Short mmCIF file of all heavy atoms in Angstrom, two decimals:
data_model
loop_
_atom_site.label_atom_id
_atom_site.label_comp_id
_atom_site.label_asym_id
_atom_site.label_seq_id
_atom_site.Cartn_x
_atom_site.Cartn_y
_atom_site.Cartn_z
N ILE A 186 64.50 -38.76 44.71
CA ILE A 186 65.51 -38.09 45.52
C ILE A 186 65.04 -38.00 46.97
O ILE A 186 63.87 -37.71 47.24
CB ILE A 186 65.82 -36.68 44.95
CG1 ILE A 186 66.94 -35.99 45.73
CG2 ILE A 186 64.57 -35.82 44.87
CD1 ILE A 186 67.48 -34.73 45.05
N THR A 187 65.96 -38.30 47.90
CA THR A 187 65.67 -38.22 49.33
C THR A 187 66.68 -37.29 49.98
O THR A 187 67.89 -37.41 49.74
CB THR A 187 65.76 -39.61 49.99
OG1 THR A 187 64.81 -40.49 49.40
CG2 THR A 187 65.50 -39.52 51.50
N GLY A 188 66.18 -36.36 50.80
CA GLY A 188 67.08 -35.43 51.46
C GLY A 188 66.51 -34.96 52.78
O GLY A 188 65.38 -35.27 53.15
N ASN A 189 67.32 -34.18 53.51
CA ASN A 189 66.86 -33.66 54.80
C ASN A 189 65.98 -32.43 54.65
O ASN A 189 65.42 -31.93 55.61
CB ASN A 189 68.05 -33.36 55.72
CG ASN A 189 68.92 -32.21 55.21
OD1 ASN A 189 68.78 -31.73 54.08
ND2 ASN A 189 69.85 -31.78 56.04
N GLY A 190 65.86 -31.95 53.42
CA GLY A 190 65.00 -30.81 53.13
C GLY A 190 65.25 -30.34 51.71
O GLY A 190 66.27 -30.68 51.10
N PHE A 191 64.31 -29.55 51.20
CA PHE A 191 64.42 -29.10 49.81
C PHE A 191 64.07 -27.62 49.71
O PHE A 191 63.18 -27.13 50.40
CB PHE A 191 63.49 -29.92 48.91
CG PHE A 191 63.90 -31.37 48.81
CD1 PHE A 191 63.44 -32.30 49.73
CD2 PHE A 191 64.77 -31.79 47.82
CE1 PHE A 191 63.83 -33.62 49.66
CE2 PHE A 191 65.17 -33.11 47.73
CZ PHE A 191 64.70 -34.03 48.66
N LEU A 192 64.77 -26.93 48.82
CA LEU A 192 64.53 -25.52 48.59
C LEU A 192 63.34 -25.34 47.65
O LEU A 192 62.87 -26.30 47.02
CB LEU A 192 65.78 -24.88 47.97
CG LEU A 192 67.07 -25.00 48.80
CD1 LEU A 192 68.27 -24.60 47.96
CD2 LEU A 192 66.98 -24.13 50.05
N TYR A 193 62.88 -24.10 47.55
CA TYR A 193 61.72 -23.79 46.71
C TYR A 193 62.04 -24.14 45.24
O TYR A 193 62.98 -23.61 44.66
CB TYR A 193 61.38 -22.32 46.85
CG TYR A 193 60.19 -21.86 46.05
CD1 TYR A 193 59.01 -22.61 46.00
CD2 TYR A 193 60.22 -20.67 45.34
CE1 TYR A 193 57.92 -22.19 45.29
CE2 TYR A 193 59.13 -20.22 44.62
CZ TYR A 193 57.98 -20.99 44.59
OH TYR A 193 56.89 -20.56 43.86
N ASN A 194 61.27 -25.08 44.68
CA ASN A 194 61.41 -25.55 43.29
C ASN A 194 62.72 -26.31 43.04
O ASN A 194 63.09 -26.54 41.88
CB ASN A 194 61.30 -24.39 42.30
CG ASN A 194 59.87 -23.93 42.09
OD1 ASN A 194 58.93 -24.60 42.50
ND2 ASN A 194 59.69 -22.79 41.46
N MET A 195 63.40 -26.72 44.09
CA MET A 195 64.69 -27.38 43.93
C MET A 195 64.62 -28.64 43.08
O MET A 195 65.45 -28.85 42.17
CB MET A 195 65.26 -27.72 45.32
CG MET A 195 66.57 -28.47 45.32
SD MET A 195 67.18 -28.64 47.03
CE MET A 195 68.28 -30.05 46.87
N VAL A 196 63.66 -29.50 43.33
CA VAL A 196 63.57 -30.76 42.58
C VAL A 196 63.26 -30.48 41.11
O VAL A 196 63.87 -31.08 40.21
CB VAL A 196 62.52 -31.70 43.19
CG1 VAL A 196 62.40 -32.98 42.37
CG2 VAL A 196 62.87 -32.04 44.63
N ARG A 197 62.37 -29.55 40.86
CA ARG A 197 61.99 -29.24 39.48
C ARG A 197 63.15 -28.63 38.70
O ARG A 197 63.31 -28.87 37.50
CB ARG A 197 60.77 -28.33 39.48
CG ARG A 197 59.50 -29.03 39.97
CD ARG A 197 58.39 -28.06 40.32
NE ARG A 197 57.98 -27.25 39.19
CZ ARG A 197 57.13 -26.22 39.28
NH1 ARG A 197 56.62 -25.89 40.47
NH2 ARG A 197 56.80 -25.54 38.22
N ILE A 198 63.98 -27.83 39.37
CA ILE A 198 65.15 -27.25 38.70
C ILE A 198 66.22 -28.31 38.47
O ILE A 198 66.88 -28.34 37.42
CB ILE A 198 65.71 -26.06 39.50
CG1 ILE A 198 64.65 -24.95 39.60
CG2 ILE A 198 66.97 -25.50 38.83
CD1 ILE A 198 65.01 -23.83 40.57
N LEU A 199 66.40 -29.20 39.44
CA LEU A 199 67.33 -30.30 39.25
C LEU A 199 66.94 -31.15 38.04
O LEU A 199 67.79 -31.52 37.22
CB LEU A 199 67.39 -31.18 40.50
CG LEU A 199 68.27 -30.70 41.65
CD1 LEU A 199 68.02 -31.54 42.90
CD2 LEU A 199 69.75 -30.76 41.27
N VAL A 200 65.66 -31.45 37.92
CA VAL A 200 65.19 -32.25 36.78
C VAL A 200 65.44 -31.50 35.47
O VAL A 200 65.91 -32.08 34.48
CB VAL A 200 63.70 -32.62 36.92
CG1 VAL A 200 63.17 -33.25 35.63
CG2 VAL A 200 63.50 -33.57 38.09
N GLY A 201 65.13 -30.21 35.45
CA GLY A 201 65.38 -29.41 34.25
C GLY A 201 66.85 -29.42 33.85
O GLY A 201 67.19 -29.44 32.66
N THR A 202 67.72 -29.44 34.85
CA THR A 202 69.17 -29.45 34.58
C THR A 202 69.63 -30.83 34.13
O THR A 202 70.45 -30.96 33.21
CB THR A 202 69.94 -29.01 35.84
OG1 THR A 202 69.39 -27.77 36.32
CG2 THR A 202 71.40 -28.79 35.52
#
Side-chain angles (χ1 to χ4, degrees):
I186 184 168
T187 299
N189 67 350
F191 294 88
L192 302 168
Y193 181 44
N194 284 348
M195 177 174 158
V196 178
R197 291 164 61 188
I198 298 170
L199 279 170
V200 171
T202 309

